[in-house]
Amino acid sequence: MLDWLDYAGWFVLGTLLGSQINHAIYQWAWHPRCISPWSPAPSQAPTRRSWDRLPILGWWGLKRESSIHGTGFWIRPMLLEIGVGVSLALLYWWEINRLQPTPVETTSLVVRFLSHVMLISLLAIASFIDFDEQTIPDLVTIPGTLIALLLASLAPASLLPVVDPGGSEIPLLVTAPFVWDVRLDETVGLVCGCACFLAWCLAIVPKVATLRLGWCRGIRIMVASIIRPRRRTEARLESRSRQPYLVTRLVGCAAVVGSILIGVGWFIGGPGWQSLLTSLLGMAFGGAVIWGVRLVGGYAMQQEAMGFGDVTLMAMIGAFLGWQSSLIVFFLAPFAALLIGLIQLICVRRTDIAFGPYLALAAVVLVIVWPWAWEVRARNFFELGWVVPILVIVCLALMGILLLILQWFKGIMRVSD
């Protein structure tokens, strides 16, 4: 009886979390909408009541705004809150109760559980905004990445678990499946960590990047756009996320403060430093893989192959789950596309699919099946060591060649027509 009360409590907490996920979906979008009952009501809508904010049940009352937001607008957010409630209860059972841990083990499991709840919540927000607008806002991925780094440094148990040769469960570190390399505790580790964080800061700062005028001039233009962002741009743009001057200053401050904190973590050392460096390298590797696909695909097809929001989303996933997991997620994503594409085709008759939800669903699936995926499949692959990143580079090159051949073949077909 007590277990069912626990699950009922997690379901209620999940519905409350789902209501805030809905609020973020509509408020953090590129074009915010006042659909959530936690937002101010539209001017033409009747006054909202306090019980409209009740999860699930409140949407029945908000049906009265169908003439403003569209028929059936309330169905998706209501189902989302139900789904989050059920998912939170099931995840609690899967990651904690099912294992019947000792009191000592329970602390680590709860930390990991809360980390996964945070990751899945952020992925849900990013996915539904991507469904609606084909974009992933920085308001989701940038704070999410910083939260992942903070969690890794303060609570190493938040990382995915693996079993060491002695049979003990340890966090998935950057060197897994091999033992920790002590050289990463020296200056080389500090340099790698700071380089990853500064590269991420450079990637997210607003800038002008073009190589059409040559490498040298393109780099000079990019540096100038970062150092001297135009203030007048702010007056022409409405959204707070589109103000390059303010964002550049904030990212610059974050780069300085973050580098100092990374140095403090390196100086303290221990498990906190090992997990922080793992998160930093996971962030860099995850973002670099998608960025590589974006560059190679864009060059081969002469059009945008992937949005930059997918890059920052994958960086966030890598920061939470590690570089090994981000590589697995990347290869699982096309299979997730089959499910998402079918649901989207049935529900809204759309055939264009954003890539972000693929990555999000693949990450959630990996979190659930992680012990089996690592021990049965992934461990042997990652025992190849440095061959793994080389294989990734080779796959990117082969992808570019195949896309060039495809474009060449399409050109021939157009000429023959």
Side-chain angles (χ1 to χ4, degrees):
M1 180 65 179
L2 183 61
D3 285 345
W4 286 108
L5 289 177
D6 288 343
Y7 296 136
W10 284 110
F11 173 79
V12 173
L13 289 176
T15 59
L16 293 171
L17 176 62
S19 68
Q20 296 308 307
I21 290 175
N22 274 323
H23 179 56
I25 289 171
Y26 297 120
Q27 286 300 300
W28 293 356
W30 188 259
H31 300 288
R33 291 171 289 168
C34 299
I35 293 179
S36 170
W38 294 89
S39 304
S43 57
Q44 64 271 40
T47 304
R48 285 176 175 167
R49 300 161 295 195
S50 57
W51 53 83
D52 288 336
R53 294 183 176 180
L54 290 175
I56 303 175
L57 299 177
W59 291 103
W60 288 96
L62 288 175
K63 289 193 296 183
R64 62 183 182 272
E65 298 182 6
S66 295
S67 60
I68 302 172
H69 306 300
T71 303
F73 79 96
W74 53 276
I75 296 177
R76 190 187 80 175
M78 185 184 69
L79 293 177
L80 177 63
E81 291 175 3
I82 296 174
V84 174
V86 173
S87 299
L88 194 64
L90 289 176
L91 187 65
Y92 173 76
W93 170 79
W94 180 257
E95 294 200 338
I96 298 180
N97 267 15
R98 177 181 62 93
L99 303 177
Q100 298 181 346
T102 64
V104 176
E105 296 170 335
T106 300
T107 303
S108 298
L109 293 177
V110 169
V111 169
R112 190 181 307 142
F113 167 74
L114 294 177
S115 173
H116 292 165
V117 169
M118 192 170 301
L119 172 62
I120 293 171
S121 300
L122 293 169
L123 292 176
I125 296 170
S127 296
F128 281 97
I129 293 177
D130 208 4
F131 278 135
D132 293 339
E133 300 186 340
Q134 302 287 297
T135 184
I136 298 175
D138 291 340
L139 281 172
V140 177
T141 55
I142 293 178
T145 303
L146 295 176
I147 289 171
L149 297 176
L150 184 63
L151 274 175
S153 61
L154 298 180
S158 63
L159 298 178
L160 290 171
V162 293
V163 178
D164 65 5
S168 302
E169 189 177 272
I170 59 174
L172 175 72
L173 299 178
V174 67
T175 54
F178 305 105
V179 297
W180 179 257
D181 191 340
V182 294
R183 290 176 296 179
L184 296 176
D185 295 327
E186 301 173 359
T187 308
V188 63
L190 175 62
V191 172
C192 288
C194 289
C196 291
F197 186 73
L198 293 176
W200 176 76
C201 291
L202 178 62
I204 64 175
V205 72
K207 55 188 173 294
V208 176
T210 178
L211 299 178
R212 289 178 297 177
L213 303 176
W215 282 90
C216 294
R217 191 172 179 185
I219 293 174
R220 287 200 301 269
I221 292 173
M222 183 181 69
V223 172
S225 67
I226 295 173
I227 296 176
R228 297 190 300 273
R230 294 179 296 176
R231 290 177 179 266
R232 64 178 180 273
T233 306
E234 296 185 19
R236 300 199 304 266
L237 300 174
E238 298 177 0
S239 174
R240 61 184 180 278
S241 63
R242 307 179 211 175
Q243 297 177 354
Y245 185 80
L246 177 61
V247 173
T248 299
R249 268 42 183 181
L250 289 176
V251 173
C253 293
V256 174
V257 174
S259 298
I260 294 173
L261 293 178
I262 290 171
V264 172
W266 170 79
F267 181 77
I268 295 174
W273 165 246
Q274 295 176 2
S275 58
L276 174 59
L277 184 59
T278 296
S279 184
L280 286 165
L281 290 172
M283 172 192 71
F285 183 84
V289 168
I290 302 298
W291 205 342
V293 173
R294 171 184 167 88
L295 293 177
V296 172
Y299 175 79
M301 297 188 298
Q302 296 300 306
Q303 65 183 38
E304 186 176 73
M306 194 169 295
F308 193 76
D310 299 319
V311 177
T312 57
L313 180 69
M314 193 63 169
M316 182 184 75
I317 293 173
F320 270 101
L321 304 181
W323 76 271
Q324 302 95 328
S325 302
S326 63
L327 183 59
I328 299 173
V329 166
F330 176 73
F331 286 105
L332 282 178
F335 298 99
L338 297 176
L339 176 61
I340 293 179
L342 181 61
I343 294 174
Q344 182 172 287
L345 181 62
I346 294 174
C347 295
V348 294
R349 298 293 189 271
R350 276 174 51 183
T351 56
D352 57 312
I353 308 175
F355 194 65
Y358 303 170
L359 299 173
L361 181 58
V364 173
V365 170
L366 182 63
V367 165
I368 295 172
V369 303
W370 171 253
W372 174 85
W374 176 257
E375 296 297 335
V376 177
R377 297 293 182 184
R379 177 189 286 273
N380 294 336
F381 174 73
F382 286 102
E383 284 179 351
L384 295 174
W386 284 103
V387 176
V388 174
I390 294 175
L391 287 175
V392 173
I393 295 174
V394 171
C395 288
L396 288 175
L398 291 176
M399 183 194 73
I401 294 172
L402 290 175
L403 289 175
L404 286 173
I405 294 174
L406 179 61
Q407 293 298 107
W408 172 76
F409 182 74
K410 286 181 178 179
I412 292 178
M413 294 300 293
R414 283 193 295 267
V415 170
S416 62
D417 290 341

